Amino acid sequence: MIFKSINPYSQEVIAEHEVLTNSQLNQKLELAESAFKKWRSTSFQERADKMQKVANILRATKNELGLLITNEMGKIIAESIAEVEKAAGNCDFYAENAERMLHDAHYDTPFKSMSVYDPMGAVFAIMPWNYPFWQVLRYAAPAIMAGNVTLLKHAPNVIGCAKAIENAFLEAGFPEGVFQQIAIDIAQVESVIASNIVCGITLTGSEMAGSSVAALAGKHIKKSVLELGGSDAFIVLDDANIEKATTVATQSRMLNAGQACICAKRFIVTEKIADEFAGLFAHKINALQQGNPLHKNINMGPLARLDLAEKLSYQLEHSLKQGAKIIVGGERENCNFKPTLIDFVDANNIAFQEETFGPLATIIRAKNEKDAIAIANNHRYGLASAIWTEDREKAYQLARSIEAGNVFVNSLVRSDSRIPFGGIKKSGYGRELSEIGIKEFMNMKSVIIE
């Protein structure tokens, strides 16, 4: 079997990658097991030195790596380079902080008691194509700094990115087997999860994929962390700064051609300001320039695959049949989906109920702030949300009532190495990043000494 990398803009096949045979996969698992036995005993300083080298390699080659990202999945070149830089920053963060995060915890008891953190084995990662470097280094840097090893099953259309990351780890001096990318088919996934060397699974992807992997993890009694779909609410109240809100709304929805779990997707606006918000939002969306992602003046490239563009077209078509009104955009040519805004969406509309993974923004009109919060929470996803209001105290109270893993006030929703990230409901469970993220695949072992 062959995986093909197809340039989304030109539709040209740019690379082909052979899928591992079962025999080759078993060799990878054996190598991971052998590497873990040695890597788990290395010092934090040795790990940090090598992880810092990975960061330096990524920065030194960010232009070449950015070009690889753009050619494989289509985001504009400036966003690709910025993604490599962010991934490098995460390597820095864990190189500098892992030892502090995993220090022994002592308890106030009549006897000596403590908790220590031990690495557990290989973390098996199933990662998506939309942020092919950031998503990988987001989990891999903490897992490896903690003394674990990792096996990466990347999306079939970005195997070139997976190989580039593996090469960076090897160039930085990591032993073979600490970081391995494995080009495998879906049918081979269970054998990896079942392996004794695998201590847990982390997946970023669709709700359907998460459900399947969670079932396999449960079957084989393995820890799992899932970051799944999102239909993030962007709540705009009467007293919001509409100029700033529409600027950030445009960025939040259209960044990476709208292909992010934490893109704002449901713009819930109170009736009093809905017309003003919709008009200014439409104006800013219409000003975006879509085209060749390698050109400097382009704001947005194509969607990553033709099937994704076709699905978004289907969702738009049915949303309009269900009563939504198109304000701007709506046209598509192959993977190039024009930035689009629709209004008068309600909870029965497909654009409300499903995750729309692309540059399609939807406005839902709320009667008041209470209604806006109810609309925001009326969804099976709960990844992130944003609230726009000039009343910071009210924003804090409303943020506590939002059913999501992350709430941002008057700001772009984004991930940050220092802050826990993850969702609730059908958006998954567990957390990545920060001190919490590095402990997800550790054995917190209690030690008591009389």
Side-chain angles (χ1 to χ4, degrees):
M1 180 182 289
I2 298 292
F3 287 148
K4 293 183 179 181
S5 287
I6 300 174
N7 184 304
Y9 184 74
S10 68
Q11 289 296 294
E12 295 177 358
V13 177
I14 57 177
E16 294 184 345
H17 308 279
E18 289 189 6
V19 174
L20 295 179
T21 65
N22 290 336
S23 176
Q24 291 171 326
L25 176 57
N26 288 334
Q27 291 174 9
K28 296 282 188 180
L29 289 166
E30 290 170 2
L31 180 59
E33 184 173 26
S34 175
F36 175 63
K37 289 177 181 178
K38 297 178 181 178
W39 184 249
R40 66 178 302 168
S41 300
T42 55
S43 68
F44 280 107
Q45 188 59 57
E46 181 179 347
R47 299 172 199 168
D49 289 344
K50 289 180 170 57
M51 190 62 69
Q52 189 65 65
K53 287 180 182 178
V54 172
N56 294 339
I57 290 166
L58 295 180
R59 290 193 183 94
T61 58
K62 64 182 180 181
N63 292 330
E64 295 88 339
L65 297 176
L67 180 61
L68 174 61
I69 294 172
T70 296
N71 285 336
E72 285 204 313
M73 60 75 56
K75 72 176 66 180
I76 62 173
I77 189 65
E79 291 180 2
S80 295
I81 293 171
E83 179 185 337
V84 176
E85 292 174 333
K86 185 175 182 179
N90 200 53
C91 294
D92 290 334
F93 177 77
Y94 282 105
E96 295 165 4
N97 293 288
E99 184 172 11
R100 173 185 59 80
M101 292 173 171
L102 297 174
H103 66 81
D104 296 349
H106 295 267
Y107 303 105
D108 184 14
T109 58
F111 41 85
K112 187 173 183 179
S113 58
M114 68 192 79
S115 291
V116 299
Y117 293 92
D118 291 340
M120 296 175 64
V123 177
F124 176 40
I126 302 173
M127 291 290 114
W129 46 263
N130 56 337
Y131 288 92
F133 272 71
W134 167 244
Q135 296 282 177
V136 173
L137 275 303
R138 191 168 79 177
Y139 90 84
I144 291 171
M145 279 301 304
N148 292 308
V149 299
T150 186
L151 297 152
L152 166 67
K153 179 196 180 304
H154 220 328
N157 57 325
V158 290
I159 298 298
C161 290
K163 290 181 176 179
I165 297 170
E166 182 178 42
N167 288 338
F169 274 88
L170 292 172
E171 185 180 341
F174 282 88
E176 289 188 11
V178 172
F179 182 103
Q180 295 184 86
Q181 71 83 23
I182 51 174
I184 61 173
D185 189 33
I186 294 174
Q188 297 170 294
V189 165
E190 182 170 3
S191 65
V192 178
I193 294 175
S195 170
N196 289 333
I197 182 59
V198 171
C199 66
I201 307 94
T202 181
L203 177 142
T204 298
S206 69
E207 178 185 346
M208 182 172 66
S211 177
S212 297
V213 167
L216 290 173
K219 176 182 176 181
H220 295 285
I221 317 179
K222 301 292 177 72
K223 173 74 177 288
S224 58
V225 171
L226 305 179
E227 197 260 272
L228 309 177
S231 188
D232 290 3
F234 188 104
I235 302 165
V236 188
L237 303 181
D238 289 352
D239 65 341
N241 181 330
I242 296 178
E243 171 62 35
K244 183 178 179 182
T246 51
T247 296
V248 175
T250 305
Q251 181 184 8
S252 182
R253 187 65 195 101
M254 302 302 167
L255 188 69
N256 199 24
Q259 300 170 115
C261 295
I262 55 172
C263 277
K265 298 182 178 76
R266 295 179 296 143
F267 295 86
I268 304 167
V269 188
T270 50
E271 290 178 345
K272 182 178 178 180
I273 60 167
D275 287 341
E276 182 183 0
F277 180 89
L280 192 53
F281 194 14
H283 174 74
K284 292 179 178 180
I285 288 175
N286 199 42
L288 297 173
Q289 297 296 313
Q290 185 182 45
N292 188 330
L294 295 176
H295 290 176
K296 289 184 179 180
N297 295 326
I298 294 299
N299 306 115
M300 182 187 301
L303 296 184
R305 298 196 313 262
L306 186 59
D307 62 306
L308 300 170
E310 291 171 343
K311 179 179 180 180
L312 193 63
S313 292
Y314 172 87
Q315 290 172 316
L316 173 60
E317 178 185 343
H318 280 260
S319 296
L320 298 177
K321 288 180 180 179
Q322 293 171 323
K325 305 296 182 184
I326 195 162
I327 306 300
V328 65
E331 299 86 6
R332 177 179 71 86
E333 182 179 356
N334 294 323
C335 290
N336 296 289
F337 196 107
K338 190 173 178 62
T340 302
L341 175 65
I342 58 176
D343 199 351
F344 302 103
V345 172
D346 61 30
N348 296 315
N349 196 290
I350 190 174
F352 183 100
Q353 295 174 346
E354 296 183 0
E355 180 179 28
T356 52
F357 217 65
L360 172 61
T362 63
I363 293 178
I364 302 103
R365 298 179 177 231
K367 297 175 183 177
N368 49 47
E369 67 181 48
K370 182 178 179 180
D371 187 37
I373 299 300
I375 292 170
N377 289 339
N378 181 28
H379 209 282
R380 70 181 187 275
Y381 292 136
L383 189 55
S385 292
I387 301 174
W388 287 81
T389 173
E390 293 297 280
D391 187 336
R392 292 172 62 88
E393 181 59 33
K394 178 171 68 176
Y396 172 74
Q397 297 301 326
L398 293 176
R400 296 297 299 267
S401 66
I402 294 288
E403 297 170 359
N406 311 266
V407 181
F408 285 67
V409 176
N410 298 335
S411 176
L412 177 74
V413 173
R414 58 199 181 277
S415 55
D416 185 302
S417 297
R418 298 163 294 185
I419 303 169
F421 180 83
I424 61 172
K425 299 182 178 179
K426 300 296 185 181
S427 289
Y429 50 75
R431 291 294 181 267
E432 293 181 288
L433 302 176
S434 79
E435 183 173 329
I436 294 175
I438 198 172
K439 293 178 179 177
E440 285 282 12
F441 296 106
M442 301 296 285
N443 173 26
M444 188 178 74
K445 181 167 60 183
S446 296
V447 178
I448 297 91
I449 303 173
E450 289 286 357

